[in-house]
């Protein structure tokens, strides 16, 4: 059970209601994570706006969903792991590709470099070095893509923390974390 109320379109603060309507329209349902964040109109606007802005970015959804499952698994966020595994499959990734990404691996060199960077950002709290940025450039990422990649990692940290801290019930098909705690 969630540690905070899961708001609805009618119970949420007035400033959250229209945004929840947008979420409902986009997903065909209102995922529990957004219902939890709707307790704060500012936080909901930030999260929803970030998803919208990054969704229009240069990085393809197939890659960003792989980043999301790698970060979710590393943070032990069952909610995001389940949601982004489904979204990754919807973006054209195979079940095997998503499982590899969850472990931080890919047979595609650019994806492998992005996953390695994302996990290093998580593990080292963004204390990365020149060589880490060079590895991304060598894999074909320019400065715009590198900054966007970091923005995706930051957004995933935000969503992971929301779901873990508030114990948001998973409302996507469950995916098993790679290792027990």
């Amino acid at each position: 059970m969630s540690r905070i109320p899961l708001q609805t379109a009618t119970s949420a603060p007035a400033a959250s209601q229209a945004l929840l309507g947008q979420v409902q329209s986009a997903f065909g349902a209102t995922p529990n994570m957004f219902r939890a964040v709707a307790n704060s109109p500012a936080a909901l606007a930030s999260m929803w706006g970030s998803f919208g802005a990054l969704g229009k970015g240069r990085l393809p959804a197939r890659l960003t969903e792989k980043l999301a499952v790698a970060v979710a698994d590393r943070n032990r966020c069952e909610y995001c792991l389940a949601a982004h595994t489904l979204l990754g499959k919807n973006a054209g990734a195979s079940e095997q590709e998503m499982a590899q990404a969850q472990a931080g691996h890919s047979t595609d060199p650019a994806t492998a470099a992005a996953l390695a960077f994302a996990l290093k950002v998580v593990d080292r709290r963004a204390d990365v070095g020149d060589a880490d940025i060079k590895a991304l450039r060598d894999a074909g990422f320019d400065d715009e893509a590198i900054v966007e990649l970091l923005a995706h990692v930051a957004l995933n940290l935000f969503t992971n923390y929301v779901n873990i801290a508030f114990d948001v019930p998973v409302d996507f098909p469950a995916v098993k974390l790679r290792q027990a705690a």
Side-chain angles (χ1 to χ4, degrees):
M1 180 169 190
S2 181
R3 294 182 178 114
I4 61 170
L6 299 179
Q7 299 295 335
T8 66
T10 56
S11 69
S16 291
Q17 292 177 5
L19 290 172
L20 283 178
Q22 291 175 23
V23 171
Q24 171 74 32
S25 293
F27 285 96
T30 306
N32 285 339
M33 176 184 71
F34 292 102
R35 295 178 59 208
V37 174
N39 283 282
S40 166
L44 183 59
S46 174
M47 180 184 282
W48 188 239
S50 293
F51 276 117
L54 290 173
K56 295 175 187 166
R58 286 205 14 231
L59 299 180
R62 192 166 162 173
L63 172 60
T64 63
E65 297 303 338
K66 289 177 182 181
L67 291 170
V69 298
V71 171
D73 194 80
R74 187 60 51 99
N75 285 323
R76 308 200 48 70
C77 181
E78 293 178 26
Y79 191 99
C80 289
L81 179 58
H84 291 286
T85 296
L86 178 64
L87 292 169
K89 291 176 187 176
N90 290 347
S94 70
E95 189 168 329
Q96 180 181 5
E97 287 176 303
M98 294 309 291
Q100 287 176 334
Q102 181 183 346
H105 304 294
S106 176
T107 57
D108 173 66
T111 301
L115 291 169
F117 179 78
L119 292 176
K120 190 172 265 190
V121 166
V122 172
D123 292 343
R124 295 187 179 177
R125 295 184 185 105
D127 187 14
V128 297
D130 294 343
D132 300 307
I133 302 301
K134 183 180 181 318
L136 287 173
R137 287 190 179 118
D138 290 347
F141 293 94
D142 63 13
D143 293 342
E144 179 183 352
I146 293 168
V147 172
E148 191 174 313
L149 194 153
L150 184 62
H152 276 280
V153 173
L155 177 57
N156 281 288
L157 288 171
F158 177 30
T159 61
N160 289 181
Y161 291 176
V162 161
N163 290 302
I164 294 166
F166 300 143
D167 197 22
V168 176
V170 178
D171 50 355
F172 290 90
V175 175
K176 186 176 180 179
L177 293 166
R178 288 185 318 111
Q179 300 176 26

